[in-house]
Amino acid sequence: MSGEHGGSDETTVGHSVGTDLTDLLDDRTGHAGLTGRLEAVVDGIAPVWRRRIGGGTVVGIGTLLIGVPLYHFARHGVTVDAIVGDALPLFFGVILVATGVWLGWMSDDDVAPLVTAFWVTVGFGVTGVVTLYFFTLHVAHGHIVESPWFLVYDVSATGAVGGLLISRYDVRSRHRHRRLSQRERQLRAVFEGTLDALVITDDEGRYVAANPAAADLFGLPRSELVGKHIVNFASGSEDFEAQWETFRAEGEARGEFELVRPDGETRMVAFAATANVLPGRHLSALRDVTEQIEHEQELGQERARVEFLNRLLRHNVLNGMNLVLAKLDALEPALPDDQRDSLDVARHRSEEIVDLIQTARRLATDVAAEADGRAIRVCDPLTDAIESVRGAYPDPTIECDLPADEVWVHADGMLETVFDHLLTNAVEHNDADVSVSVGVTVDPETVTVTVADDGEGMPPERLAQLFDDEEFTHTRDWGGFGLSIVQALVQEYDGDVWADANEPSGTVFHVELQRTESPDGA
């Protein structure tokens, strides 16, 4: 769209359409004052030579001012009257020499030396010429002027120092102009390059400037957008006049409005507006939130479906399974001993279904609000899971090596489900005499729990696919949901889970969790 609208009038954007923001902020164009014009002239001179030429010129004039008194002392001797008469020009000469040395060999300013040289030369020459002109007039009218050349010299020395003072003002003006120019360039870059739409309106609500993102949002080239009124893009439900007066009175406004593009498409736009960024100019930042609002609506519908699923699982399936377990408990005393094993299997499978339903409800519930407060000792759910699997599967050997100190991780009670699925997976999919070893590795930032078995293992291609989904999708056409549930829960805890081949046989599952402090801070 940017190629269609934002960039379609690139050659016409400027003063004619008002899209250059610096035109609104500052009407100055080109170089400022003498310094700016001089900078344009001397751009072809190397910076070091600019400093040398400027500084050398000032040093030369200063040397001349010093040399005249010294010549006078050498010819007529050093007297009190001579010292008093030449002290001020001599002092001025010393100042100019010192200034020239600093500008030519110590300063890093490329233009100030030339500016100083110009003004010092002009001050020295103009005052000398004007003084000589007036002396000539006096002589022509019969007046006698004693030591006219030394008087011209004294006045010229004063003019040179006056030029030095003027040059300081001009240089400061140049620096101010440079800083303003840099700020203007930065402001222009932000205005033109920001991804948010920026528009400037006048007191009547007409657009006087717009950036490329605004052209994309409004669906018009900038040359056509500038000059349009806000009401040209507002829906009929907007009370523009009242809102505009309120905005101008309060000085700022935030909110959302419905923008109607020229092609009839409607977009929801969030805006933040500031009145009178310049007198009679009002800046607005606009952002298209149509997709965000649509996404929030879809999330709301999804939450409603999830809540319905939760109620269905809780009231129908879960309550039904609890009734089944209660009936099995009631039947147990009446069953003969040779049928107790069948009852135990039915009870165990029913309990597994209940646990699976609880896990499914947990995965379907938004628990982000409580995420920051999760903390559990890693050994507690791990030990409970081991004891549970040992009771359900007495034949396999399950060994564990747990740390002696309490180790807290970022998780909650559902962590037992993670370990239970991993242990159950290890004993169910291997021979009855399989050996399973559980270990805990504690690092400064993480805790890693490993569940390793010495069974047949898995083919490498399937091993690589176990946890390759970023989200709980279970796109595999093999295997159960247990490992997918493990991945979903571990990701909820900001952890990681992966599997490797065990040596010499079997599989090793790794669950990495973030360490955290205990709730009481101990």
Side-chain angles (χ1 to χ4, degrees), residues 358-411:
Q358 295 281 20
T359 302
R361 290 186 61 215
R362 173 58 182 273
L363 294 175
T365 303
D366 183 9
V367 292
E370 60 181 81
D372 294 338
R374 295 172 180 166
I376 192 172
R377 286 189 294 264
V378 69
C379 293
D380 292 348
L382 184 57
T383 302
D384 292 341
I386 291 173
E387 294 301 323
S388 175
V389 175
R390 279 175 175 170
Y393 303 92
D395 294 332
T397 301
I398 302 178
E399 300 178 349
C400 61
D401 182 15
L402 304 180
D405 298 332
E406 288 189 350
V407 180
W408 293 78
V409 295
H410 177 66

Side-chain angles (χ1 to χ4, degrees), residues 9 81 86 155 183 189 193 283 492 499:
D9 60 324
D81 292 340
D86 295 332
V155 176
R183 292 173 184 172
L283 176 66
E492 187 178 314

Side-chain angles (χ1 to χ4, degrees), residues 182-220:
Q182 290 174 345
R183 292 173 184 172
E184 290 171 0
R185 288 193 295 270
Q186 293 170 356
L187 185 56
R188 183 188 292 112
V190 171
F191 186 79
E192 296 291 325
T194 183
L195 297 179
D196 286 331
L198 297 178
V199 292
I200 295 178
T201 55
D202 60 17
D203 286 336
E204 302 301 322
R206 295 189 181 277
Y207 297 117
V208 296
N211 69 345
D216 290 341
L217 176 61
F218 284 81
L220 282 176

Side-chain angles (χ1 to χ4, degrees), residues 71-342:
Y71 174 78
H72 183 259
F73 293 155
R75 289 291 304 270
H76 303 286
V78 180
T79 63
V80 175
D81 292 340
I83 293 176
V84 171
D86 295 332
L88 189 59
L90 185 62
F91 176 68
F92 287 165
V94 172
I95 291 177
L96 290 177
V97 169
T99 302
V101 170
W102 181 80
L103 290 174
W105 287 267
M106 301 174 64
S107 173
D108 58 356
D109 195 319
D110 298 335
V111 177
L114 292 176
V115 174
T116 303
F118 173 84
W119 284 112
V120 169
T121 303
V122 168
F124 180 80
V126 169
T127 54
V129 170
V130 171
T131 304
L132 185 60
Y133 169 74
F134 282 109
F135 286 165
T136 303
L137 291 180
H138 279 281
V139 171
H141 288 80
H143 298 287
I144 298 176
V145 180
E146 296 182 359
S147 303
W149 292 109
F150 281 100
L151 196 54
V152 171
Y153 158 77
D154 291 340
V155 176
S156 298
T158 305
V161 174
L164 178 64
L165 297 177
I166 294 174
S167 72
R168 293 301 89 197
Y169 170 80
D170 196 5
V171 169
R172 284 196 299 270
S173 175
R174 168 183 176 270
H175 289 313
R176 285 195 299 269
H177 171 73
R178 174 176 291 181
R179 288 192 296 269
L180 287 175
S181 297
Q182 290 174 345
R183 292 173 184 172
E184 290 171 0
R185 288 193 295 270
Q186 293 170 356
L187 185 56
R188 183 188 292 112
V190 171
F191 186 79
E192 296 291 325
T194 183
L195 297 179
D196 286 331
L198 297 178
V199 292
I200 295 178
T201 55
D202 60 17
D203 286 336
E204 302 301 322
R206 295 189 181 277
Y207 297 117
V208 296
N211 69 345
D216 290 341
L217 176 61
F218 284 81
L220 282 176
R222 286 197 284 179
S223 58
E224 296 182 20
L225 177 58
V226 171
K228 296 285 187 181
H229 199 282
I230 296 177
V231 295
N232 296 139
F233 303 95
S235 63
S237 60
E238 300 288 343
D239 186 3
F240 169 76
E241 294 296 337
Q243 295 179 5
W244 184 253
E245 292 302 324
T246 301
F247 161 63
R248 292 188 58 189
E250 295 181 355
E252 61 181 7
R254 290 176 178 270
E256 295 179 356
F257 74 96
E258 191 175 54
L259 184 148
V260 182
R261 291 157 53 110
D263 58 5
E265 182 182 0
T266 300
R267 311 294 293 178
M268 286 303 300
V269 175
F271 69 91
T274 302
N276 294 310
V277 291
L278 285 175
R281 294 294 183 263
H282 317 292
L283 176 66
S284 298
L286 312 175
R287 179 174 296 177
D288 188 347
V289 294
T290 306
E291 295 181 358
Q292 177 182 340
I293 292 176
E294 292 175 351
H295 180 64
E296 291 175 353
Q297 292 174 347
E298 292 174 356
L299 285 179
Q301 296 172 355
E302 185 67 25
R303 291 190 187 99
R305 287 193 292 268
V306 169
E307 181 60 27
F308 172 76
L309 175 61
N310 263 325
R311 289 197 301 268
L312 180 65
L313 291 175
R314 181 173 66 251
H315 293 295
N316 296 76
V317 183
L318 189 58
N319 289 342
M321 290 306 304
N322 287 331
L323 180 60
V324 170
L325 288 171
K327 293 298 183 181
L328 291 176
D329 292 339
L331 287 174
E332 184 175 9
L335 287 178
D337 293 340
D338 58 351
Q339 296 184 12
R340 292 295 179 89
D341 290 341
S342 298

Side-chain angles (χ1 to χ4, degrees), residues 376-389 398 402 409 411-427 436 438-440 447-451 482-483 485-486 489-490 493 496-497 509-513:
I376 192 172
R377 286 189 294 264
V378 69
C379 293
D380 292 348
L382 184 57
T383 302
D384 292 341
I386 291 173
E387 294 301 323
S388 175
V389 175
I398 302 178
L402 304 180
V409 295
D412 54 22
M414 292 298 292
L415 184 59
E416 181 181 347
T417 301
V418 172
F419 299 141
D420 184 81
H421 278 298
L422 293 178
L423 290 167
T424 301
N425 182 78
V427 299
V436 180
V438 179
V440 179
V447 175
T448 303
V449 178
T450 58
V451 178
L483 295 181
I485 292 174
V486 167
L489 287 172
V490 172
Y493 302 142
D496 194 12
V497 57
F509 290 89
H510 308 263
V511 177
E512 183 183 78
L513 302 168

